[in-house]
């Protein structure tokens, strides 16, 4: 049982480059989330999805786009990377929303130079 | 505006001692209070959670104490072990929305032998 799998685990981008982070879950969860984690700031919600084909903005959505074409996958895109997007990105899923435990992936460490 | 305030930022405890991490909130609509544990290089994992109908919940060496009137809750780790060294996040959520789980900024716990 893999849970939540994130790829890649590490990536270095040059300013202005684009990339897509992939999140896959095998628990048939409806809700999926993308967070970024920065020192001293905890976890901040970027975008989320309440089901296949749906997406919504979180607390810090600027510079990111997402898609959920299949229930098990949630993609996070950076169209034009900036140094301020250097962070550790975590994907999470939940069966029914915020009042239930989240399952997190192991993260993607992204550095934008 | 930080919805959940967590302290301390870092904590050093001797093996066998008690680790205490505190969190406070303002939104009285919150009705679910989970704690997450994160080891270096890993994603956060749900450790223990409480709902406001009880004042305390214990799971092994981990206890959540909840004070509804003070709008505070805390994590106590009894007989702390070096293997407990990790970052701990409190969180709070309420209502039926999909994006209303708010995390504290985290506490880095180090248990020294």
């Amino acid at each position: 049982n893999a849970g939540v799998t994130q790829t890649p685990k590490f990536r270095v981008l040059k300013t202005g480059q684009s990339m897509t982070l992939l999140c896959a879950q095998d628990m048939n969860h409806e809700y999926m989330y993308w967070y970024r984690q920065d020192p001293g700031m905890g976890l901040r919600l970027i975008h989320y999805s309440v089901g296949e084909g749906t997406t919504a903005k979180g607390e810090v959505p600027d510079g990111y786009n997402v898609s959920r074409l299949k229930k098990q996958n949630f993609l996070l895109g950076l169209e034009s990377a900036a140094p301020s997007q250097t962070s550790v990105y975590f994907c999470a899923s939940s069966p029914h929303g915020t009042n239930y435990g989240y399952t997190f992936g192991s993260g993607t460490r992204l550095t934008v130079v | 505006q930080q919805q959940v305030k967590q302290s301390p930022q870092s904590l050093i405890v001797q093996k066998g001692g008690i680790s205490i991490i505190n969190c406070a909130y303002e939104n009285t609509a919150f009705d679910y209070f989970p704690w997450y544990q994160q080891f270096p290089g890993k994603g956060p994992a749900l450790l223990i959670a409480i709902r406001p109908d009880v004042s305390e919940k214990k799971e092994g060496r981990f206890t959540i104490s909840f004070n509804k009137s003070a709008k505070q809750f805390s994590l106590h780790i009894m007989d702390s072990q070096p293997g407990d060294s990790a970052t701990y996040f409190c969180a709070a959520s309420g209502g039926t929305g999909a994006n209303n789980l708010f995390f504290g900024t985290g506490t880095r716990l180090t248990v020294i032998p």
Side-chain angles (χ1 to χ4, degrees), chain B:
Chain B
Q1 180 185 350
Q2 197 70 31
Q3 295 270 359
V4 180
K5 296 182 179 179
Q6 183 173 350
S7 62
Q9 235 180 349
S10 62
L11 181 62
I12 299 174
V13 174
Q14 291 272 1
K15 178 182 175 181
I18 302 174
S19 304
I20 302 174
I21 304 170
N22 300 300
C23 288
Y25 64 97
E26 287 297 325
N27 190 341
T28 56
F30 288 154
D31 60 2
Y32 176 67
F33 303 88
W35 285 87
Y36 285 81
Q37 179 188 53
Q38 183 182 26
F39 292 106
K42 303 293 184 183
L46 180 65
L47 181 64
I48 186 173
I50 196 169
R51 297 187 190 273
D53 52 344
V54 297
S55 60
E56 185 175 282
K57 183 173 181 179
K58 184 176 181 179
E59 290 185 4
R61 295 184 294 108
F62 299 89
T63 300
I64 300 178
S65 297
F66 183 78
N67 186 329
K68 189 173 182 178
S69 61
K71 291 183 284 186
Q72 296 175 347
F73 58 109
S74 59
L75 177 70
H76 296 235
I77 306 174
M78 311 301 289
D79 187 26
S80 298
Q81 299 296 313
D84 297 330
S85 297
T87 299
Y88 293 82
F89 292 95
C90 63
S93 74
T96 57
N99 66 333
N100 57 354
L101 179 68
F102 300 96
F103 287 89
T105 51
T107 296
R108 177 172 289 185
L109 171 66
T110 303
V111 181
I112 53 179

Side-chain angles (χ1 to χ4, degrees), chain A residues 13 17-21 63-65 76-82 85 89 110 112:
Chain A
L13 283 181
Q17 286 185 322
S18 64
M19 78 164 294
T20 300
L21 281 66
Y64 306 94
N65 56 76
L76 177 71
L78 287 75
E79 292 185 346
S80 179
Q85 294 178 304
Y89 292 86
L110 175 66
V112 183

